[in-house]
Every structure is written in structure tokens, then in C-alpha cells.
Amino acid sequence: MIPIKVAGPVPGEARNAATTALQYLQPGALNLTALPPLSLYIHFPWCVRKCPYCDFNSHEAKGELPEKDYLDAVRLDLEQSLPMIWGRKIHTVFIGGGTPSLMSAGGLDRLLSDVRTLLPLEIGAEITMEANPGTFEAERFKSYRDSGVNRLSIGIQSFNGAHLKALGRIHDHTEALRAVEIARTTFDNFNLDLMFALPSQTLDEARRDLETALSFAPPHLSMYHLTMEPNTVFAKYPPALPDDDLSADMQDMILDATAAAGYHHYEVSAYAQAGKQSRHNLNYWGFGDYLGIGAGAHSKISFPHRVLRQARYKQPNSFMEAARRGNPVQEEHEIARADMGFEFMLNTLRLVDGFEPNLFAERTGMNIGSIGKALNEAEAKGLLYRDHKLIRPTELGQRFLNDLQEMFLAG
């Protein structure tokens, strides 16, 4: 799963017209001149085995999955969310997890049929599905493609058997290679997820992993530095990891090798061939909107005078029960005006090529002068480049991205 962090959880159904009208009158209300593009995220919460580094909402599958009951609940979730997004077109769809490739071909077909029935999809919408090598079956993946999936994201993590074992992955080296071959022959567009700075990994081992991935000429690569996330097995029992200097050498090697192979480094962890950037994730990083349905899914939905965040119930059974009761949203809040600048910059500063200054006002409903002090300080420290057409992190800013992002906490 591509690890995109969204700020804060948030419950609830769409406000009725009277409530919305009151919002317009509240002091400090935003003023969005246009609503951002809207994406759809669908969460499938089960996996074969929980990996020790994983902090996503995933649950080990025990026995037969309640696929039909879960898909019924997802449809209910989508139906109950429709009033928030009436009239808005869906530009991209991402089915993540967990391991969505545990879903039957019939289940996936039903899911996308429900989506098309209830939502206006943009013609040629990017529809991505995550898959793990231990679940690859060639015929089933052809069925996924025939149902409408046009982009696959494969969680390889490593081609090294020892590292796969250390990461708790259910596939081995041979299955990893086979999965990429099936993806390449079935889909025109696919992404490979790899990790580096793995337990006891050497620079040469990281290079061999990348070279193996590049030998398949994937349209898109995601290269993630392994981090010790709270509430994971690795956080409790940390393995021996490469030090900062070795990790930096790995990062430099990745930048050089991908550039030499013709890939554009367009986001902190993302590399793409020309025209193959992830449209779904670009919408996240551009502070676009997304409706998240399914267990634990997060949403960010903009209205003319406010921006709403939601989070669904995380436990699959709790989510299904709540959907049947009529409201699967556990938490909800509006992004406070004081936090809007930070939330925008938290996302957009991940873009290597930066963003146009006008996008700030368009997506936040605020004047860019509201973060002027932090912009000046970041520029003075050499972490940020800006002119009247562009704001982007410098190479130094990319290296110290967390520090750069935190400068906007105070607005």
C-alpha cells in the first residue's frame, strides 16, 4: 500500500442545507472559489498475515472472508455518502488494504459495478488495485482487468529472500519475480513498491533490488525508506537497521539509478516514466478531495466554506454493523482555519516540482499571505525556492522535509 498519511480522523453524514447555510455565516469561514478534483478510495481490510512493520488498517484473515457482507456494507457506505458529493465526478479510484487481491474475481466485479452505478466516473478514470505477490493468480488478474482495473500496484518490498523473511512477507524471491511478470503481461500500467534501509541490508543489496525492478521497466516505482511506525512489532522489537549515512547512500544510489533509467522523481518516494505518474496520489499531494469508504478509510471533502475530514470504523465487523445502522463514520471534524496552511503544505511539499502559488488559495480558501512568515523563513534557510510562478522544496528541503513541513505548523 502506498503509505499516504492523512491528518487526523474525522464522523458523519453530509450536513443538510440549513446546517450548511449556518456555516456560511460563521466567522473565519473559508471561501473556496472552486472545489478540488475528487477521488475515491476503497479499503479492503484483510491480509494473509500482518507484517511486523505495517501500521495500516489490516487484519489477518482467519477462515473464509465475509466478502459478500463486506461488499454489501461498502455499498451502503457509498450510498450514505452520496449527499456530500452530489454532482461531483470521480477522477480516480484506488482499492487498497490490507490485500485487495484476496478478493474474488466476482467480488471485485461487483464492487466496481456498484461504483459505476452510484457515481459518475470520469471517462478513462485511473482505477488502481493493490496486490501482493503471494496472492497472484494469472486468470484472476485478467478478470480484475476485464472488470475495469487499469493499474496495478504490487507490494514487492524486496527481491531478496532473506529480507523478505525479515519483513514477514508471505512471498519468496521466485513468487516476487512471477508476480511482476504476470503484472507486466496483464496490465499496461503498474507500480512496484520497494523498500530500502531494511534490516542488515547493504548498499549492494539495495542496488540489486532496484536493478531487478528496473529490468522489468515498470511504468512507476515507489521506493520507501523503512521506518519504525508506532504500534507495530518492529517498534516494539526493533531490528538492526542501516545507519543514517548508509541510508543516505542508498537514497543517492536510487536517485542516480532511476534518473539514468529515464524515470522522473516527482514525489518524495515516487518515480515514474513519462506520463505515468499516479494520478490518484497526485490528487492527494495536491490537497485534492477524496471520499474514503470501507473499514478505517479516511475522507477529505471540501465545501464552499469548509473542509471536512472523516474516518470510518476500523474493525471490519464494527464497520459492517455501523453501515447497516446507517452511519459507518466514527469520527469527523472540520479542518480549522489555523491548521489549513500546515495541512496544505504537509502534502504539497512532497512534490519535487512544487506547486503554483495560486493553488494555495484555490484549495484552502485563504490568501497565501497567511503562511508568508513561514515561507520567508524556509526560503532564508535554503529549504524552499519560490517565485511568482512556483513554490518547491530545494534539494536541501527534500532532505530535511519533516523540518520544512513543521515550519508551517504555526502558520
Side-chain angles (χ1 to χ4, degrees), residues 57 206 217-218 244 311:
N57 183 37
D244 290 345

Side-chain angles (χ1 to χ4, degrees), residues 112-131:
L112 289 181
S113 177
D114 286 346
V115 168
R116 291 191 188 93
T117 299
L118 296 169
L119 293 172
L121 281 186
E122 183 180 57
I123 296 174
E126 176 190 272
I127 302 177
T128 303
M129 182 179 188
E130 287 185 336

Side-chain angles (χ1 to χ4, degrees), residues 49-358:
R49 185 172 65 210
K50 183 84 170 178
C51 296
Y53 59 85
C54 177
D55 70 335
F56 292 116
N57 183 37
S58 58
H59 306 265
E60 290 190 10
K62 296 176 181 177
E64 186 176 351
L65 294 178
E67 182 179 281
K68 180 183 182 302
D69 290 344
Y70 186 73
L71 293 178
D72 287 345
V74 167
R75 179 173 178 127
L76 286 171
D77 186 2
L78 182 52
E79 288 174 341
Q80 292 153 14
S81 301
L82 291 178
M84 288 195 304
I85 57 169
W86 283 130
R88 298 182 66 180
K89 188 171 288 188
I90 300 296
H91 295 270
T92 65
V93 179
F94 196 103
I95 307 167
T99 305
S101 50
L102 290 176
M103 208 182 317
S104 69
L108 186 278
D109 190 65
R110 178 256 169 106
L111 174 62
L112 289 181
S113 177
D114 286 346
V115 168
R116 291 191 188 93
T117 299
L118 296 169
L119 293 172
L121 281 186
E122 183 180 57
I123 296 174
E126 176 190 272
I127 302 177
T128 303
M129 182 179 188
E130 287 185 336
N132 285 332
T135 64
F136 263 66
E137 297 172 14
E139 290 306 312
R140 184 149 50 93
F141 277 77
K142 289 177 183 176
S143 296
Y144 291 159
R145 180 198 61 197
D146 293 342
S147 294
V149 173
N150 53 30
R151 184 176 183 270
L152 208 62
S153 183
I154 312 167
I156 297 293
Q157 314 314 354
S158 176
F159 291 98
N160 181 301
H163 293 146
L164 289 171
K165 188 174 181 179
L167 291 172
R169 304 297 287 170
I170 64 169
H171 64 275
D172 59 20
H173 167 77
T174 302
E175 288 172 314
L177 294 172
R178 177 176 173 272
V180 182
E181 188 57 43
I182 290 173
R184 186 171 66 167
T185 56
T186 309
F187 290 88
D188 294 329
N189 196 8
F190 64 95
N191 166 63
L192 300 184
D193 272 359
L194 289 180
M195 301 177 81
F196 67 97
L198 305 178
S200 303
Q201 187 179 40
T202 66
L203 180 60
D204 283 342
E205 287 171 336
R207 181 181 290 108
R208 283 196 293 273
D209 263 354
L210 180 57
E211 288 172 349
T212 302
L214 291 173
S215 71
F216 289 97
H220 193 282
L221 271 171
S222 298
M223 302 291 303
Y224 299 117
H225 188 296
L226 176 63
T227 55
M228 300 295 100
E229 300 290 352
N231 303 315
T232 64
V233 174
F234 272 4
K236 190 174 182 180
Y237 305 104
L241 299 177
D243 60 26
D244 290 345
D245 288 341
L246 179 52
S247 294
D249 289 343
M250 291 179 182
Q251 181 71 64
D252 289 340
M253 178 273 296
I254 291 166
L255 290 170
D256 292 343
T258 51
Y263 288 78
H264 175 48
H265 180 212
Y266 72 98
E267 186 271 342
V268 173
S269 304
Y271 305 77
Q273 294 177 348
K276 295 299 184 180
Q277 292 93 338
S278 167
R279 286 157 53 192
H280 185 85
N281 288 329
L282 276 174
N283 192 40
Y284 284 140
W285 297 320
F287 207 52
D289 279 359
Y290 45 93
L291 173 64
I293 59 174
H298 288 244
S299 300
K300 170 191 170 275
I301 306 293
S302 297
F303 301 87
H305 296 275
R306 63 195 178 101
V307 179
L308 187 70
R309 286 201 182 277
Q310 297 180 330
R312 270 64 179 163
Y313 286 90
K314 293 182 69 173
Q315 291 293 330
N317 286 336
S318 298
F319 164 76
M320 289 187 282
E321 290 169 8
R324 287 190 288 266
R325 290 196 306 267
N327 184 12
V329 180
Q330 184 177 24
E331 301 175 53
E332 180 179 82
H333 74 254
E334 293 179 21
I335 301 178
R337 187 181 182 91
D339 298 331
M340 193 66 73
F342 170 68
E343 293 230 10
F344 176 89
M345 298 299 282
L346 183 68
N347 287 278
T348 54
L349 286 173
R350 294 181 64 90
L351 294 168
V352 173
D353 295 332
F355 61 92
E356 294 182 5
N358 287 343

